[in-house]
Amino acid sequence: MKVMLAAAEKLQANRDLKSARALLERGGEELATLLDPDRRPDWAWFEIMFEEDACRLPEALMRAGRILHRDDLVERGLATLEWMFSGRVLHKCLDTMAQACDAAFATTGDLKWLMISRTATLARRERPLEN
């Protein structure tokens, strides 16, 4: 996931990096497979529990989808981020939540994501020891 995000950054600067594109394509496919709705229809997530950088997963899908022009990856990234906001987000992932919402805003232009990002950033500042 972190490799995917690094590859996405590299590709934004230089679209001709074949190795970065290959990493992004392979990682996007693997994450999309993990979200197969037929396997887990009631749990639209990659793992059983959330980790500190849980929001990096939908962020990686959205960034990969945007760079690779893959609407299916963008949609899955947005769907998992939406799912997280249906009462499942833990406070310990506020940092990555803000970054994932920034990616969602950059992908969709929907101001909702920008507002959530700013709220998460402010909440993180209010409770730094809890995160």
Side-chain angles (χ1 to χ4, degrees):
M1 156 192 62
K2 290 180 182 180
V3 171
M4 284 181 65
L5 293 172
E9 281 186 41
K10 296 281 187 188
L11 280 172
Q12 284 182 326
N14 182 355
R15 298 272 183 185
D16 296 327
L17 293 175
K18 292 179 183 178
S19 60
R21 180 170 295 279
L23 282 170
L24 207 54
E25 288 172 349
R26 186 173 51 239
E29 287 298 326
E30 288 178 19
L31 286 178
T33 299
L34 289 173
L35 285 172
D36 182 358
D38 294 332
R39 289 175 36 197
R40 291 181 257 183
D42 62 332
W43 185 258
W45 194 246
F46 307 88
E47 307 164 0
I48 294 173
M49 297 181 64
F50 290 107
E51 297 296 328
E52 283 187 28
D53 59 353
C55 294
R56 293 276 190 226
L57 295 165
E59 178 188 359
L61 276 172
M62 287 182 287
R63 290 187 188 277
R66 194 172 74 221
I67 289 170
L68 300 172
H69 304 287
R70 294 267 315 266
D71 290 341
D72 62 320
L73 298 181
V74 168
E75 289 170 12
R76 286 179 182 213
L78 287 168
T80 55
L81 196 58
E82 282 279 357
W83 184 82
M84 291 179 75
F85 289 107
S86 61
R88 295 173 175 91
V89 175
L90 299 179
H91 290 285
K92 67 180 181 176
C93 68
L94 288 174
D95 286 336
T96 59
M97 180 193 317
Q99 293 168 349
C101 290
D102 286 342
F105 173 67
T107 301
T108 65
D110 187 342
L111 289 175
K112 165 181 79 174
W113 297 116
L114 185 61
M115 291 172 51
I116 294 171
S117 170
R118 299 306 176 252
T119 302
T121 300
L122 290 172
R124 176 72 166 113
R125 287 183 192 151
E126 289 291 316
R127 296 187 261 178
L129 297 176
E130 293 179 27
N131 298 309

